[in-house]
Amino acid sequence: AALGSDTGGSLRQPAAFCGVAALKPSHGAVSRAGLVAYASSFDTIGPIARSVTDLRELFNAIRGTDPRDDTSNCEVFPAESKIGAAADAGTLRG
């Protein structure tokens, strides 16, 4: 598993070509502190992993409010993401 930045598909497109899973989180779900902004309203940091289960674990580890990033706000996102329920149900494939 790894982290990457996604402004215009930089996580999702390589994942699709390589048969792995990637997630571009909703704006504010993950801190952008330390990210070099190209288009700040589109830039996000997200996970890429071999499986949806690994993706879920990494996303849950990086999500949340960061005092160094005023745009991050975990209060608007549920404690357990919808990806978790789908991963548990076996309905997502990476």
Side-chain angles (χ1 to χ4, degrees):
L3 295 177
S5 63
D6 192 320
T7 302
S10 302
L11 284 169
R12 297 162 289 152
Q13 291 176 0
F17 292 133
C18 296
V20 297
L23 174 71
K24 179 178 181 178
S26 297
H27 190 73
V30 176
S31 172
R32 296 178 303 143
L35 176 68
V36 176
Y38 292 107
S40 63
S41 62
F42 295 111
D43 293 336
T44 58
I45 294 175
I48 187 167
R50 290 184 181 176
S51 71
V52 174
T53 302
D54 291 343
L55 191 72
R56 172 190 183 187
E57 294 290 323
L58 187 52
F59 176 64
N60 285 333
I62 64 172
R63 64 185 289 281
T65 302
D66 182 352
R68 298 171 297 163
D69 180 5
D70 291 335
T71 66
S72 67
N73 183 0
C74 69
E75 294 177 12
V76 298
F77 300 98
E80 178 60 31
S81 64
K82 289 180 183 178
I83 193 173
D88 291 340
T91 58
L92 288 179
R93 299 285 182 249

